[in-house]
């Protein structure tokens, strides 16, 4: 092949795509060098996924679009053609097959296409092993995929793309559900690939990661190209501004709440294999941050506080009363509310109406005189919260799934605030929420604290805890390691501690 | 908004569609045979509809919750058997009203308990409702065969005849029972905490639990109530045929599922209303009676029911595609 | 083997229970472990097994088929008519006709499911009613007793007379059953198309993105099930020596229960031919054992139903002895997708 052809893995110009009345992409351009790690950044709905789907042949682009892959002009595209040209995608949901073996998942493309034939499991296994060696990992090739943790499934997905000799790999939010050490392992693999001459396009909302791994970043906003920037010397806040188009707040809000009454006091709380001897308190109107990585025991602690799991030792005191909730209903009755980290499957019943989701936890409050649900009361309650949190909706009867991530999270908050809680536990409240919409969520959270609510903010986004919490605990290995006052520390210091 | 449009929104597109189809069926048969638009025909329809109707209500709520109850027919049979056993014990033909009341209580208890067992297994063991109810169906069928040795149980007091064939305020008593149950179902599903939980669980049981709904109790209740309405259907069958036989109404099992889908229930759960299901039942009954009047037998109407469901599904599919293209254009 | 058992826990557990039953019955009765009894078990369950592996393929591909048993009745009736029309025919012609009609009925299901994007349970309940209603309408419920001789004559693969004079024999249907089992196992385990079926049932969206032809998958799954329904129907006539239009009505749920008992997953992606065999044999041996133990035949179904109910209720209970001996590590609880 001609050396000039090899210089760019991908060159695109004038990429446009229109869905009905929506211009999803408007003359976007992008260039990825061979062997480069390139980042594609932008808020949800900015056109990132549409762009990936066009390159990989899932969508047909509009007229005028020019795409060159490894120096070759692409006139017609399809998933199969794209794969043949060496393009692979690792989707966020991985698109793997949980009940099939690891080897079959890696070699699925060998089983698809062509005439029906006897499957060559031996050769698939040998080649899969080869790919594994190249990645420097070892997995049991005969185990069913469902027996692997998410991080290893990610590795399987990468191995699968290498089986088809991909030279341009798109990774859609690959680290969304990984712990930090798993993320580090993944980033190491990505670097290996790049050194091997494979170009990797990384799509991620974790800005720190983006700046760490990529050489250049292409920023897209509202379907238009904002620009291409080297990551050298780029700061997280600058990148955030480019993505959202406006300045992000960066002022420490921590206040001293030492004088206020204690709302929650946790003493020596332990649960085997999950967390140990956890003690802290939260004052009325205080936001306490717990930052730690997935697996540090932070979500497990939250589950114990709401009665989803039992504790072995220790006490929970809420408003000077010892509580020991056996299930989430008892926790709600005592005044504890929990915003789950997993909004899609645990936080909201996605297909059901906005109104119904808002009232699920307070059904008793909307009962009329004969014990039946009163539409009047229901509507009043829902309308009140929608207005209070300025949720942007069409009708309250629309499915929650029609809302954006930020607005969905507002519905979740409304649902929990309606229970009139004393303690609000926020577990990673900005997962899947646009950078721009996050400020709005925290604006509400701070208002709630000002009204006297005690808030426990669990997050692995250190900046979030830093700018919004009054005090921050670092949790690791199931224990609270240290306490920080945002005024006395910096984001960098915290990051060093947490990621150490 | 025009009056038409307002009526359309008030009724819901599902109902308008089903009412339209029902009218078409009625007009079609009325022009085909003069016997269709007669009090006699409507009277016989009113007596035939309630059994299928009650069983469909029993099937409906499990489907809404994302499950299925394949045991309904034999729950009805066994409950009928419980009633029969009590009546026979208290003198058969000579049994009094108090014996009947006791028998009804026994029937409801049997239906409720068999449902509760399924509900508990589904709720606490996490087993798939199709399997649990299938096993319960095989068990109850076997139990019935064991108890009756495959025979009929008959010899009921004369007032049973009235329940099965009598009128109250000029309306057939079975129809009154069914309409009463349908109204209760409508209220239960739209205006009670239980009904609210049913829809939520049908869409996502985990998120429902995390929102503070008592999902296990709701699931147990769903199958218990389903079993109790089966018992009512069983009592009605006993009254109408003046006998109880295990296996009676077996052919209705899949027809109830068909009626639910025809009434617009989402096969995956979470969506569906009582009124469209009742309309769907009326339509199935009209089809069956109409075909009967023009000389076709029951089997042809079974076939037509199946083909009709396919037709309706195809129509809905076409309508949703049309809707999408229209939206895309505008 | 250990790996196989750990990834197929349902099959492993059922296999253990079945072994216990066989040992128990062999000790408790002197009639269970006899050639006559075992051969008649096989003869009596061959048709169910043929249907079971057909249904398995549909379940693996993420669907469900309620219509296959009445489809088999339709096949029987039409085959009898066509054979009468051509004046007799033979086994080859019989397989061709029954197979093609079965396949055709399966493809009708597939076309409706794929064409209108409707879940298989809705479509197959609709076609169940349509097939059965039309069959009963056109036959007026009448059975056919005059069938070609080759079709109703017993063909013995194996005959044996014991010292006490009891005849044991294996019928043709057993050979056909074994052929169907082997063919299905080879097809779904060893061919690329078979593996695509698993992938499609496991994760339809992932399969679509991997370039698997969804329409083809539906056609193959329901076509295979239809084919097995047809072959099963053909063999059932060989056993029953008559065509009764409503004889097979209701068998679909019994076969479904057996297949799912054998570890096939409602929702797709999981299930084995071995599991099907175990599921069908479990029901059959329970019934056979009760019979030999002198339990009233009226109680069979009740006990089988209760056993299945218990089996299902306890199949999710994890029996993991290894964790009792291992020191607890710092593993976190993770939600496991089923």
């Amino acid at each position: 092949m001609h050396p000039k052809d090899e210089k760019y893995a991908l060159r695109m110009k004038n990429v446009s795509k229109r869905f009905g009345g929506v211009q999803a992409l408007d003359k976007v351009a992008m260039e990825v060098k061979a062997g480069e790690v390139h980042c594609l950044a932008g808020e949800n709905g900015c056109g990132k996924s549409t762009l990936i789907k066009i390159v990989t042949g899932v969508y047909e682009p509009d007229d005028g679009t020019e795409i060159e892959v490894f120096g070759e002009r692409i006139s017609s595209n399809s998933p199969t053609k794209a794969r043949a040209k060496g393009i692979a995608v690792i989707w966020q949901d991985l698109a793997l097959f949980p009940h099939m073996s690891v080897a079959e998942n890696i070699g699925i493309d060998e089983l698809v296409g062509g005439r029906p034939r006897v499957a060559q499991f031996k050769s698939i296994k040998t080649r899969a092993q080869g790919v594994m060696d190249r990645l420097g990992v070892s997995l049991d090739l005969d185990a069913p995929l469902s027996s692997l943790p998410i991080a290893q499934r990610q590795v399987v997905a990468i191995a699968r793309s290498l089986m088809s000799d991909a030279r341009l790999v798109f990774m859609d939010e690959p680290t969304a559900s990984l712990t930090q050490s798993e993320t580090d392992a993944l980033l190491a693999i990505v670097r290996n690939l790049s050194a091997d001459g494979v170009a990797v396009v990384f799509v991620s909302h974790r800005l720190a990661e983006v700046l760490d791994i990529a050489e250049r970043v292409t920023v897209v906003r509202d379907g238009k190209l904002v620009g291409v920037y080297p990551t050298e010397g780029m700061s997280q806040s600058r990148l955030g501004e480019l993505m959202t188009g406006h300045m992000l707040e960066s002022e420490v809000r921590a206040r001293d709440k030492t004088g206020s009454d204690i709302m929650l006091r946790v003493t020596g709380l332990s649960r085997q294999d999950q967390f140990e001897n956890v003690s802290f308190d939260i004052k009325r109107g205080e936001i306490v941050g717990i930052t730690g990585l997935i697996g540090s025991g932070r979500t497990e602690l939250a589950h114990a506080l709401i009665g989803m799991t039992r504790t072995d030792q220790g006490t929970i005191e809420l408003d000077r009363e010892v509580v020991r909730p056996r299930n989430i209903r008892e926790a709600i009755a005592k005044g504890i509310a929990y915003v789950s980290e997993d909004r899609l499957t645990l936080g909201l019943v996605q297909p059901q109406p906005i109104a119904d989701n808002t009232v699920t936890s307070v059904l008793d409050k909307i009962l009329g005189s004969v014990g039946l649900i009163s539409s009047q009361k229901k509507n009043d309650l829902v309308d009140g919260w929608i207005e209070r949190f300025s949720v942007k909706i069409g009708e309250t009867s629309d499915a929650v799934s029609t809302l954006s991530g930020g607005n969905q999270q507002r519905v979740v908050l409304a649902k929990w605030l309606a229970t009139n809680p004393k303690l609000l536990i926020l577990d990673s409240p900005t997962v899947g929420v646009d950078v721009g919409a996050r400020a709005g969520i925290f604006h509400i959270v701070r208002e709630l604290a000002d009204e006297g609510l005690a808030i426990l903010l669990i997050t692995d986004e250190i900046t979030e805890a830093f700018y919004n919490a009054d005090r921050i605990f670092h949790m690791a290995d199931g224990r609270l390691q240290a306490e920080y006052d945002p005024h006395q520390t910096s984001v960098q210091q915290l990051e060093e501690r947490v990621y150490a | 908004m025009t009056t038409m449009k307002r009526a359309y929104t008030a009724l819901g597109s599902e109902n308008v569609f089903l009412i339209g189809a029902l009218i078409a069926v009625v007009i079609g048969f009325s022009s085909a045979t003069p016997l269709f638009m007669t009090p006699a025909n409507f009277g016989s329809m009113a007596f035939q509809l309630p059994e299928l109707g009650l069983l469909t209500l029993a099937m409906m709520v499990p489907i809404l919750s994302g499950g299925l109850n394949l045991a309904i027919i034999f729950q009805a049979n066994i409950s009928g058997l419980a009633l029969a056993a009590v009546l026979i014990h208290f003198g058969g033909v000579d049994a009094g009203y108090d014996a009947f009341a006791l028998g009804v209580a026994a029937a409801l208890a049997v239906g409720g308990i068999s449902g509760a067992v399924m509900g508990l297994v589904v709720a606490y063991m996490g087993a798939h409702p199709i399997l649990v109810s299938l096993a319960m169906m095989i068990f109850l069928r076997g139990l019935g065969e064991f108890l009756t040795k495959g025979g009929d149980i008959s010899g009921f007091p004369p007032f049973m005849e009235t329940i099965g064939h009598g009128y109250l305020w000029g309306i057939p008593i079975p129809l009154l029972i069914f309409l009463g149950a349908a109204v209760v179902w409508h209220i239960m599903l739209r205006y009670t905490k239980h009904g609210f939980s049913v829809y939520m669980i049908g869409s996502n049981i985990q998120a429902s639990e995390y929102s503070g709904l008592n999902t296990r109790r709701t699931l147990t209740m769903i199958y218990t109530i389903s079993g109790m309405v089966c018992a009512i259907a069983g009592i009605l069958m006993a009254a109408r045929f003046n006998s109880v036989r295990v296996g009676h109404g077996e052919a209705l099992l899949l027809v109830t599922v068909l009626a639910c889908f025809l009434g617009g229930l989402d096969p995956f759960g979470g969506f569906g209303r009582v009124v469209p299901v009742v309309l769907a039942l009326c339509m199935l009954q009209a089809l069956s009676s109409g075909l009967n009047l023009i000389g076709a037998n029951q089997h042809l109407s079974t076939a037509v029911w199946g083909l009709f469901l396919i037709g309706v599904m195809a129509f809905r599919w076409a309508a949703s595609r049309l809707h999408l293209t229209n939206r895309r254009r505008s | 083997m250990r790996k196989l058992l750990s990834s197929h826990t349902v099959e492993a557990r059922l296999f253990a229970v079945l072994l216990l039953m066989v040992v128990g019955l062999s000790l408790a009765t002197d009639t269970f472990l006899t050639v006559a009894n075992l051969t008649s078990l096989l003869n009596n369950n061959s048709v169910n097994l043929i249907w079971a592996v057909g249904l398995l393929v549909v379940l693996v591909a993420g669907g469900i088929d309620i219509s296959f048993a009445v489809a088999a009745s339709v096949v029987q009736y039409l085959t009898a008519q066509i054979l009468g029309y051509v004046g007799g025919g033979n086994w080859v012609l019989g397989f061709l006709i029954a197979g093609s009609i079965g396949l055709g009925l399966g493809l009708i299901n597939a076309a409706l499911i794929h064409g209108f994007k409707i879940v298989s349970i809705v479509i197959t309940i609709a076609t169940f009613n349509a097939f059965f209603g039309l069959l009963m309408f056109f036959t007026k419920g009448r059975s056919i007793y005059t069938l070609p001789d080759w079709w109703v004559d017993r063909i013995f693969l194996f005959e044996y007379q014991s010292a006490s004079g009891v005849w044991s024999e294996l019928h043709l249907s057993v050979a056909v059953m074994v052929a169907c089992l082997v063919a299905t196992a080879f097809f779904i385990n060893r061919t690329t198309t078979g593996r695509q079926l698993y992938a499609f049932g496991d994760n339809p969206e992932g399969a679509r993105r991997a370039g698997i032809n969804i329409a083809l998958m539906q056609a193959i799954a329901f076509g295979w099930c239809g084919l097995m329904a047809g072959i099963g129907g053909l063999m059932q006539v060989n056993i029953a020596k008559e065509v009764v239009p409503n004889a097979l009505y209701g068998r679909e749920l019994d076969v479904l229960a057996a297949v799912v008992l054998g570890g096939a997953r409602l929702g797709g992606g999981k299930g084995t031919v071995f599991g099907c065999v175990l599921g069908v044999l479990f029901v059959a041996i329970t019934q056979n054992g009760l019979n030999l133990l002198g339990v009233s035949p009226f109680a069979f179904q009740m006990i089988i139903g209760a056993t299945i109910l218990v089996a299902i209720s306890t199949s999710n209970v994890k029996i993991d002895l290894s964790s009792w001996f291992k020191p607890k590590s710092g593993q976190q609880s993770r939600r496991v997708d089923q």
Side-chain angles (χ1 to χ4, degrees):
Chain A
M1 225 179 275
H2 202 274
K4 184 180 152 270
D5 294 346
E6 284 290 336
K7 194 176 174 224
Y8 283 101
L10 175 71
R11 300 179 75 167
M12 303 202 280
K13 267 192 293 184
N14 286 329
V15 184
S16 300
K17 178 73 187 170
R18 209 182 163 78
F19 293 109
V22 184
Q23 188 78 41
L25 286 175
D26 189 7
K27 296 192 179 136
V28 174
M30 188 174 177
E31 286 182 345
V32 182
K33 291 177 195 157
E36 182 192 5
V37 180
H38 193 99
C39 177
L40 180 58
E43 294 199 289
N44 288 336
C46 72
K48 284 179 308 201
S49 3
T50 315
L51 196 63
I52 298 180
K53 285 184 175 158
I54 285 175
V55 182
T56 54
V58 178
Y59 289 157
E60 184 105 342
D62 292 348
D63 291 345
T65 300
E66 295 170 36
I67 304 176
E68 251 178 51
V69 178
F70 298 108
E72 196 185 331
R73 242 336 251 288
I74 305 241
S75 47
S76 74
N77 206 0
S78 76
T80 333
K81 285 182 184 166
R83 205 183 307 140
K85 292 209 160 52
I87 302 176
V89 203
I90 297 164
W91 302 98
Q92 189 177 359
D93 60 7
L94 299 183
L96 294 173
F97 307 98
H99 293 101
M100 299 179 83
S101 74
V102 170
E104 279 186 296
N105 270 286
I106 294 176
I108 189 77
D109 296 322
E110 314 257 309
L111 298 170
V112 177
R115 281 182 302 112
R117 60 199 177 273
V118 175
Q120 303 297 327
F121 292 121
K122 272 226 177 79
S123 96
I124 288 176
K125 263 176 93 166
T126 322
R127 292 195 52 207
Q129 192 55 55
V131 172
M132 287 286 175
D133 295 344
R134 191 172 150 198
L135 289 173
V137 291
S138 77
L139 291 175
D140 180 359
L141 288 174
D142 294 320
L145 184 83
S146 56
S147 66
L148 302 187
I150 306 286
Q152 293 186 0
R153 294 188 201 183
Q154 194 89 50
V155 175
V156 170
I158 294 173
R160 173 180 163 188
S161 68
L162 294 183
M163 274 289 265
S164 45
D165 293 320
R167 290 184 295 155
L168 171 60
V169 178
F170 286 83
M171 293 183 157
D172 189 7
E173 299 272 0
T175 59
S177 47
L178 301 191
T179 68
Q180 190 61 34
S181 62
E182 289 168 339
T183 302
D184 289 343
L186 180 75
L187 295 186
I189 288 177
V190 169
R191 286 196 187 92
N192 271 345
L193 289 180
S194 156
D196 235 15
V198 177
V200 179
V201 179
F202 211 78
V203 180
S204 174
H205 73 281
R206 291 194 182 173
L207 303 182
E209 225 168 72
V210 166
L211 295 176
D212 182 17
I213 186 92
E215 292 152 38
R216 297 187 302 154
V217 51
T218 296
V219 180
V220 182
R221 190 198 311 146
D222 297 331
K224 293 193 181 71
L225 179 70
V226 176
V228 184
Y229 308 89
T231 51
E232 187 94 19
M234 168 81 76
S235 70
Q236 282 193 42
S237 52
R238 173 76 187 126
L239 186 52
E241 278 166 34
L242 288 170
M243 283 162 65
T244 58
H246 49 78
M247 297 283 282
L248 299 174
E249 288 181 77
S250 54
E251 194 188 325
V252 175
R253 291 298 185 101
R255 296 145 307 167
D256 188 0
K257 287 281 178 184
T258 334
S260 310
D261 305 339
I262 288 178
M263 182 55 89
L264 173 79
R265 188 201 294 277
V266 173
T267 325
L269 209 62
S270 301
R271 177 173 160 80
Q272 196 178 15
D273 294 342
Q274 293 190 339
F275 51 85
E276 218 179 321
N277 200 15
V278 172
S279 301
F280 64 97
D281 58 41
I282 306 180
K283 315 281 186 318
R284 200 178 283 277
E286 190 179 33
I287 305 177
V288 167
I290 290 189
T291 175
L293 307 168
I294 292 180
S296 62
R298 47 182 200 157
T299 296
E300 291 75 9
L301 175 66
H303 280 179
L305 290 176
I306 58 167
M308 272 296 186
T309 53
R310 302 288 96 79
T311 53
D312 303 330
Q313 270 168 25
T315 54
I316 306 165
E317 264 176 86
L318 186 72
D319 208 5
R320 277 164 298 191
E321 184 196 345
V322 174
V323 294
R324 187 172 273 280
R326 281 171 303 171
N327 54 48
I328 192 160
R329 287 170 290 285
E330 289 185 10
I332 293 171
K334 295 287 181 196
I336 304 176
Y338 174 63
V339 173
S340 162
E341 57 175 340
D342 186 351
R343 190 177 55 243
L344 284 181
T345 57
L346 300 181
L348 291 169
V349 181
Q350 292 282 343
Q352 294 287 345
I354 296 161
D356 290 18
N357 270 287
T358 312
V359 300
T360 31
S361 42
V362 287
L363 289 180
D364 286 324
K365 288 191 183 171
I366 56 167
L367 297 184
S369 48
V370 282
L372 296 179
I373 292 172
S374 145
S375 310
Q376 184 65 42
K377 281 189 177 180
K378 179 173 159 185
N379 292 342
D380 289 351
L381 189 117
V382 173
D383 292 344
W385 285 108
I386 296 292
E387 201 187 312
R388 159 106 205 255
F389 287 159
S390 29
V391 192
K392 285 182 198 67
I393 60 161
E395 300 279 336
T396 54
S397 56
D398 292 346
V400 153
S401 55
T402 60
L403 300 180
S404 69
N407 280 312
Q408 287 191 9
Q409 202 63 306
R410 284 164 195 248
V411 173
V412 177
L413 283 173
K415 171 172 94 176
W416 288 113
L417 267 299
T419 65
N420 217 354
K422 295 171 182 168
L423 168 69
L424 176 64
I425 304 172
L426 299 170
D427 193 352
S428 310
T430 56
V431 169
V433 175
D434 282 338
V435 178
R438 292 177 183 190
I441 301 284
F442 280 109
H443 184 74
I444 293 176
V445 169
R446 282 201 293 258
E447 253 180 36
L448 293 171
D450 290 342
E451 287 165 21
L453 195 62
I455 294 171
L456 179 61
L457 170 64
I458 298 173
T459 177
D460 57 359
E461 301 252 348
I462 288 160
T463 44
E464 247 172 50
F466 183 78
Y467 289 119
N468 295 294
D470 298 319
R471 284 184 293 143
I472 302 169
F473 288 96
H474 168 216
M475 190 166 188
D477 302 328
R479 288 167 175 274
L480 293 187
Q481 304 285 352
E483 183 181 337
Y484 299 92
D485 175 353
H487 289 297
Q488 311 286 317
T489 184
S490 69
V491 174
Q492 283 73 22
Q493 267 180 319
L494 267 175
E495 275 179 349
E496 274 164 30
R497 281 306 303 271
V498 172
Y499 292 141
Chain B
M1 250 205 293
T2 62
T3 331
M4 273 295 279
K5 243 189 172 163
R6 205 171 297 160
Y8 191 82
T9 355
L11 282 167
S13 57
E14 197 62 61
N15 290 343
V16 172
F17 169 65
L18 285 165
I19 289 172
L22 182 58
I23 291 173
V25 168
V26 169
I27 291 177
F29 281 119
S30 309
S31 54
T33 163
L35 295 172
F36 191 81
M37 274 301 214
T38 54
N41 182 40
F42 280 95
S44 75
M45 275 166 65
F47 277 108
Q48 283 162 20
L49 178 68
E51 274 157 49
L52 177 63
L54 286 168
L55 290 168
T56 304
L57 292 180
M59 181 63 88
M60 181 183 177
V61 185
I63 291 182
L64 281 178
S65 73
L68 207 63
N69 182 0
L70 294 175
I72 51 170
I73 305 298
F74 294 101
Q75 284 184 293
N77 287 164
I78 295 285
S79 305
L81 215 55
L83 168 69
V86 172
L87 288 176
I88 303 290
H89 181 79
F90 287 100
V93 183
D94 306 318
Y97 289 107
D98 46 352
F100 178 71
L102 194 65
V104 168
L108 287 173
V110 167
I113 289 168
S114 59
V117 169
M118 287 192 287
L120 288 168
V121 172
V122 171
Y124 288 88
M125 310 309 296
H128 200 299
I130 292 187
L131 308 184
V132 177
S133 61
L134 189 53
M136 181 57 87
M137 178 198 102
I138 295 173
F139 171 72
L140 292 177
R141 187 176 64 192
L143 180 67
E145 279 168 12
F146 180 65
L147 294 173
T148 63
K149 307 284 182 247
D152 284 21
I153 310 286
S154 52
F156 300 145
F159 60 80
M160 285 279 282
E161 172 90 11
T162 321
I163 296 169
H165 301 276
Y167 289 84
L168 188 64
W169 311 309
I171 306 170
I173 291 175
L175 188 65
L176 275 178
I177 295 174
F178 166 62
L179 290 178
V183 170
V184 171
W185 248 231
H186 179 75
I187 293 171
M188 175 178 82
L189 286 172
R190 287 205 83 154
Y191 299 108
T192 68
K193 283 162 66 177
H194 173 69
F196 184 94
S197 308
V198 169
Y199 287 108
M200 284 296 185
I201 286 177
S203 283
N204 182 341
I205 188 162
Q206 268 190 318
S208 305
E209 179 69 27
Y210 269 79
S211 303
L213 297 178
N214 196 338
T215 54
R216 287 177 165 173
R217 193 181 64 195
T218 306
L219 276 175
T220 312
M221 288 257 287
I222 287 169
Y223 287 91
T224 311
I225 295 174
S226 171
M228 287 169 80
V229 81
C230 288
I232 299 176
I235 295 166
L236 208 58
M237 281 188 196
R240 270 187 28 89
F241 300 100
N242 203 28
S243 76
V244 175
R245 186 175 57 80
V246 173
H248 198 124
E250 206 173 349
L252 295 181
L253 173 61
L254 293 175
V255 179
T256 62
V257 186
L258 192 146
C260 287
F261 292 150
L262 196 58
L265 256 66
D266 187 327
F268 298 108
F271 297 92
R273 299 264 178 231
V274 174
V275 177
V277 170
V278 172
L279 287 173
L281 281 166
C282 293
M283 198 154 58
L284 290 179
Q285 187 60 55
L287 270 175
S288 160
S289 301
L291 285 171
N292 191 25
L293 288 176
I294 58 174
N297 64 10
Q298 175 58 34
H299 295 302
L300 186 65
S301 39
T302 306
V304 171
W305 287 347
L307 296 172
F308 198 74
L309 177 60
I310 296 172
V312 168
M313 287 303 203
F315 185 83
R316 280 189 191 134
W317 169 81
S320 73
R321 275 180 69 110
L322 204 67
H323 186 65
L324 272 180
T325 29
N326 278 344
R327 261 228 303 242
R328 213 166 278 172
R329 269 196 210 117
S330 64
Chain C
M1 187 66 189
R2 227 186 107 192
K3 205 172 282 161
L4 187 77
L5 290 185
S6 67
S7 62
H8 295 97
T9 44
V10 183
E11 283 92 335
R13 208 177 288 190
L14 190 60
F15 186 61
V17 172
L18 208 58
L19 268 185
L20 281 178
M21 281 168 56
V22 168
V23 171
L25 284 170
S26 310
L27 296 176
T29 69
D30 50 5
T31 39
F32 178 77
L33 205 63
T34 58
V35 184
N37 187 48
L38 296 182
T39 49
S40 80
L41 257 177
L42 280 177
N43 289 335
N44 295 338
N45 288 285
S46 51
V47 172
N48 273 350
L49 271 167
I50 294 172
W51 285 334
V53 291
L55 183 59
L56 172 75
V57 176
V58 167
L59 288 175
V60 158
I64 192 167
D65 189 351
I66 303 291
S67 70
F68 68 88
V70 292
S73 287
V74 174
V75 168
Q76 289 179 345
Y77 186 77
L78 289 179
T79 307
Q81 292 295 319
I82 294 171
L83 287 174
Y85 189 74
V86 300
N90 52 40
W91 274 111
V92 177
L93 200 61
F95 273 109
L96 275 177
I97 295 170
S100 345
I101 298 171
L103 185 70
L105 294 174
L107 290 179
I108 291 177
N109 280 330
L112 292 169
I113 290 164
H114 186 76
F116 298 132
K117 304 275 175 280
I118 306 168
V119 285
S120 50
I121 189 163
V122 178
I123 284 299
T124 55
I125 283 181
T127 50
F128 165 90
N129 279 288
F131 292 165
F132 184 68
L134 289 173
L135 178 69
M136 293 299 281
F137 178 70
F138 285 112
T139 61
K140 305 192 171 60
R142 277 197 293 266
S143 308
I144 306 175
Y145 301 103
T146 48
L147 295 164
D149 290 339
W150 60 264
W151 199 1
V152 292
D153 281 346
R154 282 276 151 83
I155 298 178
F156 299 119
L157 305 168
F158 163 86
E159 280 178 287
Y160 166 80
Q161 193 176 23
S162 70
S164 53
V166 181
W167 276 100
S168 320
E169 58 219 16
L170 279 182
H171 300 164
L172 177 67
S173 58
V174 177
V176 174
M177 177 267 284
V178 171
C180 288
L181 258 56
V182 170
T184 306
F186 177 78
F187 172 57
I188 61 176
N189 291 325
R190 307 296 312 174
T191 68
T192 53
T193 315
R195 300 320 289 170
Q196 289 178 33
L197 277 175
Y198 274 91
F200 170 57
D202 210 354
N203 182 351
E205 176 58 23
R208 198 179 62 79
R209 284 193 227 150
I212 292 174
N213 184 340
I214 303 302
L216 187 66
M217 289 300 114
Q218 299 279 23
I220 290 174
F222 284 90
W224 191 273
C225 185
L227 180 68
M228 291 299 142
I231 294 175
L234 187 77
M235 296 323 294
Q236 200 269 343
V237 173
N238 183 241
I239 293 166
K241 299 180 187 303
E242 60 188 11
V243 173
V244 182
N246 60 357
L248 307 179
Y249 182 97
R251 290 277 279 275
E252 62 281 336
L253 293 181
D254 295 326
V255 173
L256 176 66
V259 173
V260 182
L261 198 60
R265 178 171 169 267
L266 286 168
K270 215 174 174 192
T272 56
V273 170
F274 182 56
C276 279
V277 175
L278 291 176
V280 172
L281 284 186
F282 176 78
V283 175
I285 292 181
T286 307
Q287 183 155 349
N288 181 245
L290 292 171
N291 192 14
L292 297 179
L293 291 170
V295 176
S296 154
F298 287 110
F300 289 178
Q301 285 291 313
M302 174 176 73
I303 296 171
I304 289 171
T307 321
I308 297 177
L309 198 58
V310 170
I312 288 164
S313 315
T314 52
S315 68
N316 283 21
V317 179
K318 295 249 169 354
I319 305 171
D320 190 5
L321 291 174
S322 60
S323 69
W324 291 14
F325 303 111
K326 251 194 301 193
K328 299 238 165 141
S329 56
Q331 56 180 221
Q332 52 176 329
S333 70
R334 231 181 238 281
R335 274 190 314 280
V336 183
D337 49 348
Q338 302 182 320

